[in-house]
């Protein structure tokens, strides 16, 4: 009993059913992460001088592209899960059962963001800087979905924060334990294990803090905040990936995702250094999209207090008459009779039309 209390228990399931509708914890975590990334990215974009609503418009393109890219990366790097004997190839489309590769999501999501940024006339690197910390926090939230799916954990451990993993049963489909239920809390032989999903969750939050701090301290621009996110994330992902025990393909003794992390880290550091040559952060006026609403040049002040001291009167006739009145009053003799005033008034419209 004391050993159990010194570990982290796993949920007994990752899927609940609302009638015929499955409610999946993994999907809910992905959706929550996307919402947080958009909300925070929007705030950062506006603070930099961008137009409100731009990040939402970009997300309309980037999110679908990212989901497709994430799934493609997962299927390409682990094809044996779907295309070997006894496997169902159609499960490659079952994104709700888990399996998203972050690098595919970032790569294809960037393509969608690029399309949207060009349509709006704003620089993609500046947008990437704005959404960088939100993306890594979204990844942290997504790791909670791995917890509910009871997946992507490490080897056996006796540490106090070891994760208890249980046998799950699915009478409808014995081969699909992801949708099963842990009845009786029967531990798996390797339990307790390293909660690598938790390690990555905490690491991602630290990376988000690092990006926010560095961005405020050094006013990063031209994609450098995003590059810092990639470099920071890959450092943690590399060593955490080597702790995982789930099935993965290897190249020269290392998991594919470890090699990907190494290459992306080097690329991110190189970009971070080279992009500094482009100078200070982008000017706020460059972040205003070409479809942004601007004040009409025809708008005029509604009250005298709003007008400039030397601005003309609202009425063209009045502005033409006032100098004429002053001129006539100055030239008229002091003893001139009222009749001459009438004659002068009769001439004023004619002078106004000629001016």
């Amino acid at each position: 009993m004391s050993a159990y209390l010194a570990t982290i228990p796993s949920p007994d399931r990752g899927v609940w059913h609302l009638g015929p509708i499955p409610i999946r914890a993994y999907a809910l975590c992905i959706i929550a992460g996307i919402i947080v990334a958009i909300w925070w990215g929007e705030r950062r974009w506006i603070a930099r001088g961008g137009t409100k609503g731009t990040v939402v418009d970009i997300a309309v393109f980037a999110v679908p592209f990212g989901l497709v890219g994430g799934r493609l990366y997962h299927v390409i790097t682990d094809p044996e899960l779907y295309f070997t004997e006894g496997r169902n190839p159609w499960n490659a489309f079952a994104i709700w059962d888990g399996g998203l590769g972050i690098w595919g999501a970032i790569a294809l999501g960037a393509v969608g963001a690029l399309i949207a940024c060009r349509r709006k006339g704003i620089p993609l690197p500046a947008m990437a800087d704005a959404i960088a910390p939100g993306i890594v926090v979204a990844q942290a939230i997504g790791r909670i979905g791995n917890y509910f799916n009871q997946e992507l954990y490490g080897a056996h451990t006796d540490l106090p924060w070891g994760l208890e993993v249980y046998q799950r049963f699915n009478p409808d489909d014995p081969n699909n334990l992801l949708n099963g239920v842990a009845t009786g809390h029967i531990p798996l032989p390797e339990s307790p294990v390293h909660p690598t999903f938790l390690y990555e969750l905490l690491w991602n939050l630290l990376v988000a803090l690092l990006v926010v701090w560095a961005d405020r301290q050094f006013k990063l621009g031209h994609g450098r905040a995003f590059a810092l996110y990639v470099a920071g994330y890959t450092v943690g992902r590399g060593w955490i990936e080597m702790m995982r025990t789930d099935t993965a393909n290897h190249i020269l003794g290392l998991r594919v995702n470890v090699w990907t992390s190494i290459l992306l880290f080097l690329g991110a550091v190189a970009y971070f250094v080279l992009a500094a040559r482009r100078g200070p952060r982008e000017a706020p006026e460059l972040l205003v999209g070409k479809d942004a609403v601007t004040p009409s040049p025809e708008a005029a002040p509604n009250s005298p207090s709003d007008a400039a001291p030397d601005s003309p009167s609202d009425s063209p006739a009045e502005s033409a008459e006032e100098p004429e009145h002053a001129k006539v009053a100055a030239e008229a003799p002091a003893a001139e009779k009222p009749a001459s005033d009438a004659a002068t008034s009769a001439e004023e419209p004619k002078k106004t039309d000629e001016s």
Side-chain angles (χ1 to χ4, degrees), residues 301-340:
N302 295 324
S303 64
S305 61
D306 294 333
D310 57 346
S311 61
S313 172
D314 292 341
S315 171
E318 291 177 3
S319 62
E321 287 177 2
E322 286 177 1
E324 291 296 332
H325 247 311
K327 182 178 180 180
V328 171
E331 293 177 352
E336 190 172 7
K337 296 181 179 181
S340 63

Side-chain angles (χ1 to χ4, degrees), residues 75-145:
V75 173
I76 290 172
T77 55
D78 294 296
E80 66 278 357
L81 300 178
Y82 307 98
F83 305 111
T84 54
E85 186 178 355
R87 301 284 185 171
N88 184 0
W90 290 106
N91 286 339
F93 298 96
I95 192 173
W96 50 86
D97 282 340
L100 289 174
I102 183 60
W103 302 123
I106 294 295
L108 210 55
V111 173
L114 176 61
I115 295 172
C117 285
R118 287 189 172 181
R119 288 167 59 95
K120 298 184 74 67
I122 57 177
L124 176 62
M127 175 59 64
D129 285 339
I131 64 176
I135 288 179
V136 72
V137 169
Q139 292 175 237
I141 297 173
R143 286 307 179 198
I144 301 175

Side-chain angles (χ1 to χ4, degrees), residues 32 63 92 95 111 125 130 147 149 172 183 186 201 214 227 259 274 276 295 300 310 326:
V63 171
I95 192 173
V111 173
Y147 171 60
N149 280 355
D172 298 329
T183 57
I186 304 172
L201 185 157
W259 282 111
L274 295 176
D310 57 346

